[in-house]
Amino acid sequence: MTDGTATAELDSALEKHRVELTGYCYRMLGSSFEAEDAVQDTLVRAWRSYDKFEGRSSLRSWLYRIATNVCLDMLTAGNKRARPVDLSESTPLAQAALAPRPDNTWLEPMPDARMLPTTDDPAEAAVAKESVRLAFMAALQNLPPKQRAVLILREVLAWRASEVAELLGTSVASVNSALQRARATLAERADQGAAGAVSDPLDEEQQKLLDRYVAAFEGYDMTALTALLHEDAVMTMPPFDLWLAGPSDITGFMTTIGASCAGSRLVPVAANGLPAFAHYKPDPEAGGFSPWAIQVLEISDGRITGFHCFLDTKRWFPLFGLPLHLEAEAD
């Protein structure tokens, strides 16, 4: 076997793990771009030190060990990402003001395809999706980094305690203790923003709800939209820290500060294991439609409970493989 062939085979073997490693690093870091950087760093480190890999564990386990160390190093700065609802009280519409915070403040959205490996096991797929939903991701951010790693490896990826102990260089008792503490912390936060009950795939009623939502939003029909929103629905707009609660304030915002979104178009995407849309709003200068937000929706009991708009389109639309302009449809 030539050196070139061996290199190509190693590249291919490492690359097979990219998507699942991205999901792991995303859960650890709460940032889509930091997760992709962490995975690239992991694969480069693995490639450079492959001659030291002794094969006592699987290649996959070895890569997870490297990825964990990369993420723990990145988390030593104490950065903890959040949603607007985690940082302040809701703002009444009359006091609404758009004040941005730095990018590293926010929990970021992530396309499903970049972090959720394909699987034939419906239960495994459901757990994977539930563990990247915004509410669960926000709860993970409240765990110390090593507890976060233990919880993800044990509860999401179903590793044995002995495997996690070996990966972290600690004891099984220590892993079990960390898992117990992590579970207790998540239980305390269980009432702070439900993840929503979204079927995989969407059931008929959920799909009808989304169809009605698209029709109401594109038609900017606030009466129809109000009927789809839960009475406790929230709307967030990172990088702004403003968030609104209740259909009245949400639709009131959309018809005042957000009035330029009338006549928008929504393109379905998949983000964080939830229904999502790329929101394009009319572009009066260039014609057609320009990117405005990635919307991620939370659904529960036949209503929309969360309406999260990520506005930094220059970052998000390329990540989702979306065009930066839509032409107007010909009449």
Side-chain angles (χ1 to χ4, degrees), residues 107-126:
L107 184 64
E108 297 178 346
M110 183 65 134
D112 286 0
R114 296 179 87 105
M115 63 172 169
L116 298 178
T118 54
T119 175
D120 295 328
D121 184 339
E124 184 179 317

Side-chain angles (χ1 to χ4, degrees), residues 293-309:
I294 295 293
Q295 299 181 0
V296 182
L297 304 187
E298 293 170 323
I299 297 172
S300 185
D301 298 326
R303 292 286 185 272
I304 294 167
T305 57
F307 173 47
H308 305 290
C309 305

Side-chain angles (χ1 to χ4, degrees), residues 77-151:
N79 52 321
K80 183 176 80 169
R81 291 178 177 265
R83 305 165 299 172
V85 297
D86 301 317
L87 300 180
S88 65
E89 297 297 319
S90 63
T91 305
L93 178 60
Q95 300 170 20
L98 299 178
R101 296 201 191 190
D103 289 339
N104 63 6
T105 305
W106 304 117
L107 184 64
E108 297 178 346
M110 183 65 134
D112 286 0
R114 296 179 87 105
M115 63 172 169
L116 298 178
T118 54
T119 175
D120 295 328
D121 184 339
E124 184 179 317
V127 168
K129 284 195 170 187
E130 287 167 7
S131 67
V132 293
R133 291 182 182 159
L134 295 174
F136 184 79
M137 288 289 300
L140 280 178
Q141 296 292 299
N142 287 276
L143 299 177
K146 284 195 175 179
Q147 282 187 31
R148 204 179 304 177
V150 168
L151 183 99

Side-chain angles (χ1 to χ4, degrees), residues 260-265 279-291 324-330:
S260 63
C261 290
S264 291
R265 293 291 177 266
H279 172 191
Y280 291 84
K281 77 174 187 175
D283 187 333
E285 295 183 3
F289 302 88
S290 57
L324 295 177
H325 185 79
L326 285 186
E327 297 297 335
E329 295 178 4

Side-chain angles (χ1 to χ4, degrees), residues 220 222 251-264 281-282:
Y220 234 57
M222 294 302 122
T251 57
F253 179 90
M254 291 174 65
T255 54
T256 54
I257 298 174
S260 63
C261 290
S264 291
K281 77 174 187 175

Side-chain angles (χ1 to χ4, degrees), residues 17-165:
H17 298 279
R18 181 181 291 274
V19 173
E20 66 170 310
L21 287 171
T22 301
Y24 175 62
C25 293
Y26 175 65
R27 294 178 184 98
M28 285 290 291
L29 301 170
S31 163
S32 40
F33 294 104
E34 286 184 1
E36 296 204 327
D37 287 347
V39 172
Q40 191 60 31
D41 190 3
T42 296
L43 297 180
V44 168
R45 290 189 192 189
W47 198 91
R48 287 176 175 167
S49 60
Y50 187 70
D51 57 339
K52 299 175 185 174
F53 174 53
E54 299 174 353
R56 288 181 295 183
S57 62
S58 68
L59 177 64
R60 179 173 182 256
S61 297
W62 184 59
L63 289 171
Y64 269 93
R65 178 180 294 130
I66 298 171
T68 300
N69 289 330
V70 169
C71 290
L72 292 177
D73 287 345
M74 293 174 74
L75 290 167
T76 53
N79 52 321
K80 183 176 80 169
R81 291 178 177 265
R83 305 165 299 172
V85 297
D86 301 317
L87 300 180
S88 65
E89 297 297 319
S90 63
T91 305
L93 178 60
Q95 300 170 20
L98 299 178
R101 296 201 191 190
D103 289 339
N104 63 6
T105 305
W106 304 117
L107 184 64
E108 297 178 346
M110 183 65 134
D112 286 0
R114 296 179 87 105
M115 63 172 169
L116 298 178
T118 54
T119 175
D120 295 328
D121 184 339
E124 184 179 317
V127 168
K129 284 195 170 187
E130 287 167 7
S131 67
V132 293
R133 291 182 182 159
L134 295 174
F136 184 79
M137 288 289 300
L140 280 178
Q141 296 292 299
N142 287 276
L143 299 177
K146 284 195 175 179
Q147 282 187 31
R148 204 179 304 177
V150 168
L151 183 99
I152 296 165
L153 291 165
R154 291 281 286 120
E155 302 272 274
V156 177
L157 301 176
W159 285 40
R160 294 191 297 271
S162 57
E163 294 173 319
V164 178

